[in-house]
Each structure stands twice: as structure tokens, then as C-alpha cells.
Amino acid sequence: MITKDYLLKTLNWLDQLHDDPTADNQKTSSYSKLALIELCGWIEETMDDIVLRCAKRCLKSEANKKFIDKTISGTHSFEYEPFRKMLIMVIGLATLEKIEKKLEKTGKISALKGDLVNLKKSRNRAAHTHTKGTLRTYDAPSKTKHDFDRIYALLTELDAELQRHKC
């Protein structure tokens, strides 16, 4: 099961801090930046968890389960393709192709890929820059919460399809 409560609590807290009328521009920018980075970290952890649960359910060999665990430990990304490659290692390309085809009938895989690409660009800008006199602008935590809700729904549906798959 994909957990969301702890991230939602953090995003709500950052949103409250951001909307505080006494917060200056540097604070609101920092709250926005942190909300974005928190969301991206949650996505990465959630993708890892989805793969690990698939491995636990589908793989019988402890050595193979350890291999997947080690592979996940070495993958630091919340992009779709690295996530997809890990799923292929566990359930195979043919099975993943069927699942993706089913979800793509309603555009869900394309939506997930697009959301992740957009977040990656924003996250890289936030993570690889610092404040130099003028503040950069980032989406408000309320926008990040909206992104979270959409991505949560997409990952939950993908996870449900993976669980329906018989290993």
C-alpha cells in the first residue's frame, strides 16, 4: 500500500507557513522549494517501495530479492524509465507492457511520465541552485499538493495493476 499521510502532513504544514502573512519572500520561497524537494523524495521512495513489494511477492530466491534491493539502493531517481527498468527486472517486459497498455488507454502512463519530467526540471533547478541576492520563484506548496494528489492517484493505480498481476 502506498502511504501518503506523512507527506500530506508536511505539505499542509509548508502551505500554512507559506501563506502566513508575516512570512517574507525568502521564507515563502524556501517553503515552496522544500515542498517540491519533499514531493520528489516521496516519489522516489514510493517507486522503490512498489518495486520491492513486487519483488517480495513475485521472486522466490532470496539472492534475487537481495539483488533487487541492491539495485534499488543504487538507483537515485524519480524518473519513469529507471523505475520501469527495475519493474522489468522483477516482472518482465511482456507483463509490464500489458499493464502499461491497459493504463495508457486512459492516458495514465503518459500523464505520469509528463508529471515526472516536469517535476524533474523544477526539482533540479531547486536542488542545484542557491539564493544569490534575488529569489527564484517556485510553485507554492498548494500547487505541489495538487501535483502530489495527481501523482499519488497515478502511482496507486499502477501499483494496483501490478498487484493484480499473478507472478
Side-chain angles (χ1 to χ4, degrees), residues 1-2 46 48-58 159 163:
M1 169 170 238
I2 298 176
T46 298
D48 291 351
D49 186 55
I50 289 169
V51 173
L52 282 173
R53 283 187 290 108
C54 270
K56 185 177 179 182
R57 191 172 47 82
C58 295
D159 186 46
Q163 288 181 37

Side-chain angles (χ1 to χ4, degrees), residues 47-122:
M47 288 176 161
D48 291 351
D49 186 55
I50 289 169
V51 173
L52 282 173
R53 283 187 290 108
C54 270
K56 185 177 179 182
R57 191 172 47 82
C58 295
L59 301 176
K60 305 304 177 218
S61 162
E62 285 303 314
N64 288 336
K65 290 177 187 178
K66 286 180 184 178
F67 172 76
I68 293 300
D69 191 44
K70 186 176 179 181
T71 301
I72 287 172
S73 298
T75 304
H76 304 288
S77 176
F78 59 93
E79 295 173 280
Y80 188 75
E81 284 307 311
F83 172 58
R84 186 174 190 266
K85 287 177 183 176
M86 290 187 290
L87 286 172
I88 290 168
M89 282 192 276
V90 175
I91 63 170
L93 182 56
T95 300
L96 184 58
E97 185 179 69
K98 289 175 191 172
I99 291 169
E100 288 176 330
K101 185 176 179 180
K102 180 177 181 180
L103 292 174
E104 193 53 36
K105 287 180 182 178
T106 54
K108 291 184 175 137
I109 294 297
S110 291
L112 179 59
K113 288 177 183 179
D115 285 342
L116 295 176
V117 165
N118 291 335
L119 275 174
K120 176 95 171 146
K121 289 175 189 173
S122 296

